[in-house]
Amino acid sequence: GSKPISTLPDKHFAVNLDVAPTLADWAGLDVPTSWQGCSLLRPRTREWTIHYTPCASLGCEGAVVDYSNGKILKYSRVLVSVAGLPDHESIFDIERDPEEKNNLLSTMDPARVLQFRSLADEHLSGE
């Protein structure tokens, strides 16, 4: 493009789904409301986003990302598990811990963890 990109209004956890809305917005086009991604050129309006790659193999994960309370918290868990093996789940503060080394799951308020699990159940089950 010929226009320089301005400073982003928010710190974002961006994924591939955000590329098309950002380019459409940058070109001055309306971003369809049916698109899942968000333009990185505008302040975030959604408090939660859901991320996953549909797969049928072990180890694939889905994530629920929460942008509220001045943090970006990422809850993730295995989508396809094997009976008898524990499901892996984690919560990371990805602004403070971008390499996702400090799993906060055991230190989180249980009600908050339940909220993450409920959203994951609603959006990530059956992939």
Side-chain angles (χ1 to χ4, degrees), residues 41-61:
L41 303 177
R42 299 186 183 271
R44 180 164 299 284
T45 58
R46 298 180 192 159
E47 207 170 273
W48 297 89
T49 56
I50 309 297
H51 308 269
Y52 70 96
T53 302
C55 65
S57 62
L58 299 178
C60 291
E61 292 189 357

Side-chain angles (χ1 to χ4, degrees), residues 54-120:
C55 65
S57 62
L58 299 178
C60 291
E61 292 189 357
V64 175
V65 180
D66 173 21
Y67 302 90
S68 63
N69 303 318
K71 294 182 180 180
I72 301 177
L73 296 177
K74 176 185 164 192
Y75 167 86
S76 62
R77 72 176 188 204
V78 173
L79 294 177
V80 180
S81 59
V82 175
L85 294 177
D87 287 339
H88 171 75
E89 63 180 346
S90 57
I91 298 177
F92 296 102
D93 180 339
I94 60 173
E95 281 191 294
R96 291 192 175 136
D97 182 18
E99 294 180 14
E100 299 182 10
K101 293 185 177 191
N102 183 25
N103 186 350
L104 302 173
L105 185 67
S106 64
T107 63
M108 295 290 295
D109 174 12
R112 190 83 166 112
V113 174
L114 185 59
Q115 187 179 25
F116 276 113
R117 286 178 181 150
S118 294
L119 281 165

